[in-house]
Amino acid sequence: MSVVSKDNAEHYIWGERCDGWHLVKSPTLSVIQERVPSGCSEVRHLHQKAEQFFFVLSGIATLEVSGETYTLYPHQGKHVPAGAPHQLRNESTEDLIFTVTSTPPSHGDRIEQNK
């Protein structure tokens, strides 16, 4: 097994200008590092089966979970249970870099929500 980093991980682009790197992509676990530029956000959604943990590496995340808003600073994280509507935003002036860990993987388990 080789050491993984964003330099050798599978990369993808989401939204208009956001980046993701699959650090772990297995049938039971997903760990992704993401970059969200200032002013960008994900759409509000939930996962029926996957629970997730968001952990900020740099920047400031605004994470709304089930109608409650949390501000996450570097080296802080928040657990999002399965079934909880949530939305991550970058309302700061610098890039937001974070990891999101999902078990089981959240791909194909997403339902978009209206506010």
Side-chain angles (χ1 to χ4, degrees):
M1 258 182 157
S2 62
V3 173
V4 67
S5 75
K6 74 174 208 168
D7 295 328
N8 63 7
E10 176 187 339
H11 174 258
Y12 65 96
I13 297 173
W14 61 271
E16 293 180 9
R17 303 180 290 141
C18 302
D19 293 288
W21 294 268
H22 287 283
L23 302 178
V24 177
K25 191 176 182 182
S26 81
T28 57
L29 178 66
S30 169
V31 180
I32 299 172
Q33 181 173 323
E34 296 194 6
R35 182 191 67 85
V36 179
S38 177
C40 292
S41 66
E42 180 144 41
V43 298
R44 182 173 287 99
H45 64 280
L46 62 80
H47 301 282
Q48 291 181 306
K49 297 177 183 174
E51 60 181 300
Q52 297 184 303
F53 182 73
F54 292 82
F55 188 80
V56 174
L57 300 173
S58 64
I60 301 169
T62 301
L63 182 62
E64 183 249 313
V65 181
S66 298
E68 191 166 344
T69 301
Y70 302 88
T71 302
L72 303 176
Y73 296 93
H75 309 287
Q76 293 182 328
K78 176 75 178 124
H79 174 247
V80 178
H86 59 282
Q87 179 182 32
L88 182 131
R89 299 185 304 277
N90 181 357
E91 298 176 349
S92 72
T93 58
E94 63 182 274
D95 282 356
L96 166 63
I97 309 293
F98 66 98
T99 60
V100 58
T101 302
S102 306
T103 184
S106 61
H107 304 288
D109 179 36
R110 175 183 167 124
I111 300 172
E112 292 190 7
Q113 300 284 295
N114 295 324
K115 194 160 190 164

